[in-house]
Amino acid sequence: MASPGIEVELLVKGHSDLGEVAPEIKPSERRTAVAIADLEWREMEGDDCGFHYGDGTNEAQDNDFPAVERSRLQEMLSLLGLETYQMQKLSLQDSLQISFDSMKNWAPQVPKDLPWHFLRKLQALNAEARNTTMVLDMPPDARPAEKENQMEEEMIYWDPAEDIAADDIYSFSELPTPDTPVNPLDLLCALLLSSDSFLQQEIVLKMSLCQFALPLVLPDSENHYHTFLLWALRAVVRTWWSQPPRGLGSLREDSVVLSRAPTFSFVRMDVSSNSKSQLLNAILSPGRRQWDCFWHRDLNLGTNPREIADGLVEISWFFPSGRDDLDVFPEPVAFLNLRGDIGSHWLQFKLLTEISSAVFILTDNISKKEYKLLYSMKESTTKYYFILSPYRGKRNTNLRFLNKLIPVLKIDHSHVLVKVSSTDSESFVRRIRGIVGSVVRSPCRRVSVEDMAHAARKLGLRIDEDCEECQKAKDRMERITRKIKDIDGYRRDELRLQGDPGRKAAQVEREFCQLQWAPDPPEKHRAELRRRFLELRMQQNGQEPTSGVQEFIAGISSPSPGERQYFLRWMEWGLARVGQPRLRQPPETLLTLRPKLSGASDLSEPLWPEPLGVEHFLREMGQFYEAESCLVEAGRLPAGQRRFAHFPGLAVELLLLGLPLELVDGGTLSIPVRWVTGLLKELHIRLDRRSRLVVLSALGIPGTGKSMLLNTMFGLRFATGRICSPRGAFMQLITVAEGFSQDLGCDHILVIDSGGLISGALTSAGDRFELEASLATLLMGLSNVTVVSLAETRDIPPAILHAFLRLEKTGHMPSYQFVYQNLHDMPVPSPKPRERRQLLEPPSDLNRAAAQMEKQGGGFRTLAGLAFCDPERQHVWHVPGLWHGAPPMAAVSLGYSEAIFELKRCLLENIRNGLSNQNKNIQQLIELVRRL
């Protein structure tokens, strides 16, 4: 017997007569793209095959096949409890509500639990989110033995790669019942079909952080149209190492939708004993560590038959890290995976051939039907590779058809690969990587996801971004961002109130406030400060909103909530695109900047560059409202002449839609009291009777992971991961489900992220340290619960310690949790690490200086005593490293996800048990803001 390699060589060189030539497809310029695809498939098949795409002429298939498909989709939605979300889609706000399930690590018991279980796990970035195993609500010994054995036999011995005719597939598998597992891909498709655009986007973003393959084309078998998920992928931003042919490398950060990369598609023709998904995972995995990026048959429930997910196209990328031992490819490479047979999903296959640099076709058999399908690709410039198995299929038939395809597809012997057995998997993966690397190094097609969407649109696929609301919001964003040529110049010309008058007004108001605490303030000085303050506010009030600000206000004033949300997302991405460079050196963190903070500095001078964001436009609106309110209070402006009184209402609508609002102005490092008070009053009106609040704040210097912690815990949208993140403190609102609010004791949780306010300034930094300490006191004083985020075993920042000492005088001490995050993936410390001793030992010299400033040097207690916490009982947490592996190809570690969930459960338990001090209503919070 000849070796497989010789066999391949022979089949390429020989030319046997097949006795038949595939018919030419008659072109017609007036046919729509989908009709072309339908006609091509029918003409190729002729009368000898009834399988077709779309509306055909074969009566038997036309009457039976689509009807079965429609019922299967509806049955799956009904099984999962999602049929009610087909008209009114499931929203992001629905998925983020705090409920009874938020406090327990529950396992799904019936299929209707699966969508919510998946969303909860995905929100927590749990790597096991795709596991759809259900725990039956009965003891194992109570289950019928015969049924259990039958289920086990079906799960273990059914092989999706078996050669099963398409006509028999539905007689083989019955629809899932309430006590049989659901394929994870079916769950994903059903959930995406039931979600609005913003929940779809959130699902895809969380999946990307877990390093799951992302849905690119979502099949809808019932309506016979498929959706290209361009909008859903917009939020995914990745960072990788870019190494030019000459010169130094640097980190590059960009949206996956916009960056162009060579693209490789893996598809199955008829049946294949080799798994595409396992092969793709091996190609993407550096070293010997296997990533299960694509769900495959060897994973739990991977062999469960797919009911509605066939036709799904998934995408994943390889991104280089700059490490030779980990980088499989020198540049980003995209990989696409079509679920199901290409013959049954002709339109998706046609799309892949138009956007790919190369297509790998896995098959055991090449029949006349498959030959005709491939013959229609003769005009394609894409490279094709075949992956065969020598032990399955009809070898001689495969040889004859492959020989005939040589001139058609322009292939040679190197384009036909034979995977001999599972034992040669490593060498086979190296061979595939070599082919991919060779194509990447040569001139090849490079496409972005936007380019893919353009090709999909031409073929007649629906693009999720093409809806009217989304396009109107995009046009408005572009009218704003196209004027931004220089960030500093734009701020100076368009955001005028945040210039000198705004900074000076904040400084004068700060001096005036400090003067009130003086034992005997001179009245003349007070009057002078008040006069200067009103003059500055009058200067601001004399300005008109610029064209850019007016366009922004028009965008958030749209009567359509959907259009407002689209506009905000477009603004975030558009401003990020024009406001920061794509190439950058590895950033400093504030942990490395700390020595620079030891001396006094100008308070108005930012410690790091602040990018232009949506918060700057809202800050400008706040300044207009603040100036006008000051003049009304002083009697300088009649209340009836107010022009900006409606601004807080517009901003609160955004808060209710999930946008974080600025509580402390990052430009002046001050709190605009009238603006914040106006926001809270408007929030009180909108929430009506459901206005009981618990305030939870997270403090720490940037780079300690506090924003990521909050986002993972509650599904929030605080800025993360960059040294140039916004400086201000932001607040976001979480709704408590009505059925749980009585038990929890509140209707909403107001979460405050200290952002970049606490820079770690030392006591010797003078005014900056005093300002940071005051702001920390403010945030902690507003809170029922405070999470102090610390980097490993570093000292608690002096400003936060200062706030502890100040709050002890007032008698208001929130419930504290100290969270030490392992930022450098070091091994987890011993059960009693240094950070716990830090709370029990006397303060260091640095922190003793903070105590001396508060005149408490002599009787200073330990921090544990000051915060009324017991380091041995769930007041101190050590969170494992965020990443499992080396970024950018690392996934969020399971240990991180589970630790954050336990912290969340503990916080909610403390709130329910009343350990977080008395809950507030909004009116009380307004008064507290004024006093603090």
Side-chain angles (χ1 to χ4, degrees):
M1 175 180 173
S3 70
I6 297 174
E7 189 94 7
V8 172
E9 192 79 15
L10 291 174
L11 70 87
V12 172
K13 291 181 179 178
H15 285 264
S16 58
D17 185 9
L18 296 179
E20 183 176 349
V21 178
E24 294 290 336
I25 301 172
K26 299 177 181 179
S28 175
E29 295 181 355
R30 294 184 175 275
R31 286 180 294 189
T32 64
V34 175
I36 292 174
D38 295 343
L39 186 60
E40 285 175 343
W41 181 237
R42 290 199 301 271
E43 288 180 349
M44 286 186 299
E45 289 306 313
D47 295 331
D48 60 343
C49 180
F51 212 114
H52 64 275
Y53 176 86
D55 296 329
T57 56
N58 187 301
E59 291 297 326
Q61 290 289 353
D62 192 58
N63 290 338
D64 298 336
F65 185 71
V68 173
E69 284 289 334
R70 281 194 293 271
S71 66
R72 296 183 86 78
L73 177 59
Q74 289 303 318
E75 285 294 330
M76 179 60 68
L77 294 173
S78 177
L79 181 72
L80 297 173
L82 296 173
E83 71 276 14
T84 57
Y85 297 107
Q86 298 315 294
M87 295 300 294
Q88 183 68 33
K89 299 292 187 181
L90 187 64
S91 71
L92 178 58
Q93 282 70 33
D94 293 334
S95 69
L96 298 181
Q97 284 192 1
I98 302 292
S99 65
F100 286 102
D101 294 334
S102 304
M103 298 185 61
K104 57 183 181 180
N105 194 9
W106 58 284
Q109 297 182 349
V110 295
K112 290 185 178 181
D113 292 339
L114 292 175
W116 303 103
H117 181 260
F118 176 77
L119 286 173
R120 296 285 185 198
K121 290 285 188 181
L122 200 60
Q123 174 189 309
L125 303 178
N126 192 300
E128 297 181 351
R130 295 179 296 186
N131 188 346
T132 59
T133 303
M134 290 177 288
V135 178
L136 298 180
D137 196 15
M138 64 173 69
D141 54 1
R143 300 175 193 165
E146 181 180 352
K147 185 172 184 179
E148 185 172 324
N149 292 338
Q150 180 183 357
M151 287 176 58
E152 181 178 341
E153 183 176 348
E154 289 178 0
M155 290 179 64
I156 295 177
Y157 296 108
W158 183 77
D159 185 354
E162 289 184 11
D163 189 0
I164 301 168
D167 297 336
D168 298 333
I169 185 66
Y170 292 116
S171 61
F172 175 85
S173 64
E174 297 180 355
L175 282 167
T177 58
D179 57 352
T180 59
V182 175
N183 189 290
L185 295 176
D186 286 337
L187 172 62
L188 175 63
C189 289
L191 187 56
L192 289 172
L193 288 169
S194 306
S195 304
D196 69 12
S197 298
F198 306 100
L199 180 54
Q200 286 182 349
Q201 197 174 84
E202 187 71 9
I203 289 172
V204 170
L205 176 61
K206 299 296 188 183
M207 289 178 67
S208 73
L209 289 172
C210 294
Q211 286 292 352
F212 298 162
L214 308 181
L216 182 69
V217 177
L218 180 64
D220 183 348
S221 54
E222 174 161 319
N223 298 305
H224 290 284
Y225 68 80
H226 312 294
T227 303
F228 189 95
L229 299 178
L230 177 61
W231 171 261
L233 285 159
R234 280 272 177 200
V236 180
V237 176
R238 300 297 293 270
T239 303
W240 65 92
W241 185 257
S242 177
Q243 181 66 58
R246 293 180 179 85
L248 297 175
S250 58
L251 290 176
R252 179 184 174 97
E253 182 180 86
D254 207 350
S255 166
V256 296
V257 165
L258 301 175
S259 58
R260 286 187 166 88
T263 301
F264 297 85
S265 294
F266 285 69
V267 300
R268 172 171 60 83
M269 186 168 66
D270 194 21
V271 295
S272 172
S273 53
N274 296 310
S275 168
K276 302 190 311 296
S277 301
Q278 284 179 304
L279 179 59
L280 280 165
N281 290 341
I283 293 170
L284 287 166
S285 301
R288 295 181 176 273
R289 177 175 289 177
Q290 179 81 13
W291 299 118
D292 290 320
C293 180
F294 292 91
W295 192 265
H296 59 84
R297 64 180 67 163
D298 284 353
L299 293 175
N300 186 25
L301 306 177
T303 57
N304 281 53
R306 296 187 295 268
E307 306 296 341
I308 63 173
D310 276 351
L312 173 70
V313 178
E314 298 168 288
I315 186 169
S316 188
W317 290 266
F318 175 84
F319 292 102
S321 64
R323 290 177 52 179
D324 293 338
D325 58 328
L326 295 178
D327 288 348
V328 178
F329 306 108
E331 64 176 275
V333 180
F335 292 90
L336 303 178
N337 183 11
L338 171 61
R339 299 289 181 168
D341 173 34
I342 60 175
S344 305
H345 308 288
W346 165 244
L347 193 61
Q348 288 95 316
F349 177 61
K350 192 174 180 72
L351 171 65
L352 298 188
T353 62
E354 293 192 7
I355 63 178
S356 299
S357 304
V359 175
F360 289 82
I361 302 172
L362 284 77
T363 187
D364 289 343
N365 289 307
I366 304 177
S367 65
K368 183 193 301 183
K369 181 178 72 173
E370 282 73 37
Y371 166 73
K372 292 179 179 180
L373 175 65
L374 294 173
Y375 189 90
S376 69
M377 299 287 106
K378 64 180 183 299
E379 302 298 330
S380 172
T381 59
T382 302
K383 296 181 179 181
Y384 293 89
Y385 294 85
F386 291 86
I387 298 178
L388 308 174
S389 169
Y391 306 121
R392 297 286 187 99
K394 303 172 183 177
R395 177 181 301 179
N396 293 333
T397 304
N398 289 346
L399 294 179
R400 290 192 298 118
F401 282 119
L402 277 171
N403 282 316
K404 193 64 179 178
L405 286 171
I406 289 173
V408 175
L409 300 181
K410 304 175 183 63
I411 61 175
D412 57 31
H413 73 280
S414 64
H415 290 236
V416 181
L417 312 173
V418 177
K419 190 172 187 301
V420 178
S421 67
S422 59
T423 58
D424 71 335
S425 57
E426 287 189 24
S427 60
F428 189 79
V429 168
R430 285 196 298 270
R431 190 174 178 189
I432 298 293
R433 286 177 177 172
I435 293 172
V436 172
S438 175
V439 174
V440 169
R441 287 188 296 271
S442 64
C444 68
R445 179 184 292 149
R446 282 171 166 79
V447 295
S448 66
V449 176
E450 277 192 344
D451 297 330
M452 297 178 191
H454 184 64
R457 191 179 287 112
K458 286 184 176 180
L459 289 174
L461 274 77
R462 173 181 173 268
I463 312 299
D464 59 352
E465 212 169 82
D466 286 351
C467 67
E468 183 181 359
E469 287 183 334
C470 182
Q471 290 305 307
K472 285 174 65 177
K474 181 181 181 182
D475 291 343
R476 191 180 297 277
M477 175 272 294
E478 289 176 342
R479 287 198 293 272
I480 295 173
T481 56
R482 71 166 60 106
K483 296 181 180 179
I484 305 175
K485 308 301 181 185
D486 171 64
I487 297 298
D488 294 334
Y490 187 84
R491 286 176 175 166
R492 182 180 59 252
D493 298 336
E494 292 286 328
L495 306 175
R496 301 170 186 167
L497 268 62
Q498 298 170 55
D500 284 340
R503 286 193 292 269
K504 290 177 180 177
Q507 182 61 32
V508 170
E509 191 166 28
R510 187 180 295 118
E511 290 179 29
F512 187 82
C513 191
Q514 291 171 347
L515 202 61
Q516 289 181 322
W517 294 95
D520 188 18
E523 189 60 36
K524 184 177 179 180
H525 188 41
R526 287 178 51 143
E528 175 61 20
L529 288 175
R530 183 168 180 79
R531 183 191 64 77
R532 285 169 51 197
F533 179 69
L534 289 176
E535 280 183 0
L536 291 167
R537 289 306 190 192
M538 287 182 70
Q539 287 181 33
Q540 289 183 305
N541 194 60
Q543 301 276 355
E544 291 291 332
T546 59
S547 59
V549 175
Q550 289 181 23
E551 195 73 62
F552 179 83
I553 293 170
I556 64 174
S557 302
S558 169
S560 166
E563 188 175 333
R564 289 199 298 270
Q565 282 186 281
Y566 278 120
F567 175 69
L568 287 171
R569 296 293 173 91
W570 278 120
M571 282 294 294
E572 289 173 358
W573 303 326
L575 293 173
R577 192 77 185 161
V578 301
Q580 63 185 43
R582 297 293 97 194
L583 290 174
R584 56 188 177 90
Q585 294 299 324
E588 292 180 289
T589 68
L590 283 180
L591 298 177
T592 61
L593 283 173
R594 218 173 148 175
K596 304 177 185 180
L597 306 177
S598 58
S601 59
D602 182 4
L603 295 181
S604 63
E605 178 189 350
L607 294 174
W608 64 90
E610 188 183 23
L612 183 64
V614 171
E615 67 273 9
H616 291 87
F617 289 85
L618 289 168
R619 195 183 292 171
E620 189 77 359
M621 292 172 60
Q623 285 295 309
F624 275 109
Y625 180 86
E626 190 85 10
E628 188 178 74
S629 299
C630 286
L631 298 181
V632 171
E633 289 175 7
R636 302 286 187 93
L637 180 70
Q641 295 183 17
R642 297 196 66 162
R643 297 177 296 161
F644 310 119
H646 64 294
F647 279 7
L650 295 178
V652 164
E653 285 293 336
L654 306 184
L655 180 67
L656 295 175
L657 289 174
L659 180 76
L661 291 187
E662 202 171 38
L663 175 66
V664 177
D665 187 324
T668 61
L669 299 182
S670 64
I671 181 166
V673 177
R674 295 162 190 84
W675 171 245
V676 171
T677 300
L679 293 176
L680 294 176
K681 285 181 178 178
E682 195 65 37
L683 182 62
H684 182 62
I685 294 171
R686 301 297 172 90
L687 297 182
D688 195 19
R689 297 179 180 179
R690 302 200 70 220
S691 62
R692 295 177 303 160
L693 289 178
V694 161
V695 181
L696 185 153
S697 63
L699 276 71
I701 64 176
T704 56
K706 63 185 182 329
S707 302
M708 186 69 178
L709 180 147
L710 293 174
N711 293 349
T712 305
M713 199 181 302
F714 297 112
L716 303 179
R717 299 185 55 227
F718 293 118
T720 61
R722 292 185 300 236
I723 186 61
C724 55
S725 58
R727 285 204 298 166
F730 290 81
M731 58 183 176
Q732 197 168 346
L733 195 68
I734 309 171
T735 301
V736 178
E738 289 195 34
F740 187 50
S741 60
Q742 196 63 35
D743 190 33
L744 193 62
C746 64
D747 303 305
H748 295 83
I749 298 177
L750 187 69
V751 182
I752 301 174
D753 179 9
S754 67
L757 293 182
I758 315 293
S759 65
L762 307 182
T763 53
S764 58
D767 289 343
R768 184 175 291 278
F769 168 78
E770 175 60 32
L771 180 59
E772 288 188 9
S774 298
L775 292 172
T777 305
L778 168 70
L779 299 184
M780 292 164 66
L782 293 175
S783 306
N784 301 96
V785 184
T786 294
V787 175
V788 180
S789 181
L790 301 164
E792 297 167 335
T793 58
R794 291 181 181 269
D795 286 341
I796 294 172
I800 294 179
L801 178 63
H802 204 65
F804 274 112
L805 298 169
R806 285 184 172 181
L807 286 175
E808 188 185 30
K809 295 179 180 180
T810 69
H812 174 84
M813 293 294 285
S815 171
Y816 293 100
Q817 302 290 331
F818 295 90
V819 179
Y820 287 85
Q821 300 210 48
N822 189 347
L823 302 179
H824 304 293
D825 299 322
M826 299 297 289
V828 176
S830 59
K832 198 179 182 72
R834 175 177 175 260
E835 58 264 24
R836 296 196 178 191
R837 297 200 306 271
Q838 189 182 358
L839 300 178
L840 296 169
E841 293 175 350
S844 64
D845 293 340
L846 182 65
N847 290 336
R848 193 183 300 277
Q852 290 290 345
M853 292 182 69
E854 288 296 322
K855 307 296 189 294
Q856 294 194 16
F860 183 75
R861 303 197 306 273
T862 65
L863 188 55
L866 185 65
F868 303 108
C869 70
D870 181 359
E872 301 298 325
R873 296 182 56 196
Q874 287 198 320
H875 286 281
V876 179
W877 302 78
H878 194 287
V879 177
L882 173 63
W883 300 114
H884 177 61
M889 293 303 294
V892 173
S893 74
L894 185 61
Y896 177 87
S897 174
E898 291 177 343
I900 297 300
F901 174 80
E902 281 303 310
L903 174 59
K904 174 183 178 179
R905 185 194 59 75
C906 178
L907 292 174
L908 293 177
E909 194 68 48
N910 288 347
I911 292 171
R912 185 166 70 170
N913 294 335
L915 301 180
S916 58
N917 296 328
Q918 187 177 2
N919 299 334
K920 307 172 178 67
N921 60 43
I922 294 180
Q923 293 286 13
Q924 292 171 328
L925 186 61
I926 292 171
E927 183 58 33
L928 195 55
V929 168
R930 285 174 174 160
R931 286 196 294 111
L932 284 169

